[in-house]
Amino acid sequence: MERRLIPARETRSELRVLNSRFVASLAPTFSVEEARAFVARIRAEFPDASHHVPVYLIGHGRSVIAHCHDDGEPAGTAGRPALAVLQGSGLGDVTVVVTRYFGGTRLGTGGLVRAYGDAVRSVLEVTPRAMRVATHTLRLTLPYPLYERAQRLIKRHHGQVLDADFAAAVTLTARFVADDVPAFEAALQQLTCGQTTATVIATDPAAIVPLDE
């Protein structure tokens, strides 16, 4: 099953090149409409900037929609180099806007290409990643003596405990990436000698699961 890498949250970075200020703002966006709305928000936040160069990738793999625009910079010096860096990041469903405040010194074609590419690299460096994958939420009931071992088992299979109910027995609700469920279920059967089974109570075909930062 495909695991798609996306930004975990919005991020921002800034660099200066020969007195010009480049502010790179990044956000997860899951449609062209969301990407355009983010670009509009950044334009409104920095209304006095010289340029707002937008780039985005919506989707993943062969179905990706890629977009870039030079926003008044010389053709090919801003949008294309920024997009090339973004495409090399492995991320999808992502939009970056590089906002430039002109500092009075012209950077030339090569300088602009480097500056816009470096601006995107800088914001990617501070962006935590997440996966967009199918997940299953499982519920299982087991005796108290197995509670701590079950918690460790869930963690070992990259699960997340969402709820624990302590009654006559312990009932745990946990979320797993769908691909990890078969191995967890087999390990659970071994732990409980076949006495406990996990029931799928919910499925999310496109859940956002943060990776360790």
Side-chain angles (χ1 to χ4, degrees):
M1 189 174 295
E2 183 184 15
R3 299 191 179 197
R4 296 178 289 173
L5 201 61
I6 64 172
R9 56 178 172 82
E10 292 190 16
T11 52
R12 177 170 289 169
S13 67
E14 181 176 332
L15 59 85
R16 291 181 181 270
V17 181
L18 294 179
N19 297 322
S20 280
R21 178 186 171 206
F22 293 84
V23 181
S25 305
L26 179 150
T29 51
F30 301 105
S31 67
V32 171
E33 291 73 22
E34 286 187 18
R36 290 173 176 170
F38 178 67
V39 174
R41 173 153 63 88
I42 298 303
R43 287 183 178 276
E45 183 179 353
F46 300 102
D48 56 340
S50 307
H51 306 278
H52 297 283
V53 173
V55 293
Y56 59 72
L57 298 171
I58 305 302
H60 287 74
R62 296 180 180 179
S63 62
V64 71
I65 299 172
H67 172 81
C68 67
H69 193 277
D70 291 315
D71 193 42
E73 295 282 28
T77 63
R80 287 183 183 178
L83 181 61
V85 173
L86 190 61
Q87 288 173 319
S89 70
L91 292 174
D93 293 323
V94 56
T95 298
V96 178
V97 182
V98 181
T99 299
R100 181 190 181 191
Y101 284 89
F102 180 59
T105 302
R106 296 188 181 278
L107 302 183
T109 298
L112 286 171
V113 168
R114 285 189 296 273
Y116 278 100
D118 287 346
V120 176
R121 288 186 190 92
S122 70
V123 76
L124 288 170
E125 288 176 357
V126 299
T127 300
R129 270 57 168 173
M131 293 187 301
R132 199 175 193 200
V133 292
T135 61
H136 293 321
T137 300
L138 307 182
R139 182 168 292 159
L140 55 140
T141 300
L142 65 163
Y144 278 89
L146 295 180
Y147 169 57
E148 291 187 359
R149 293 171 65 185
Q151 280 193 311
R152 291 195 294 269
L153 190 68
I154 290 170
K155 184 176 181 180
R156 191 179 311 136
H157 289 83
H158 314 293
Q160 177 188 10
V161 176
L162 304 178
D163 185 58
D165 181 63
F166 301 96
V170 182
T171 299
L172 297 175
T173 303
R175 184 178 70 169
F176 295 84
V177 172
D179 284 351
D180 294 333
V181 169
F184 170 74
E185 289 179 324
L188 180 65
Q189 288 288 299
Q190 184 176 9
L191 173 66
T192 64
C193 299
Q195 298 302 305
T196 297
T197 58
T199 302
V200 177
I201 61 171
T203 296
D204 187 338
I208 297 174
V209 180
L211 302 178
D212 293 335
E213 297 187 25

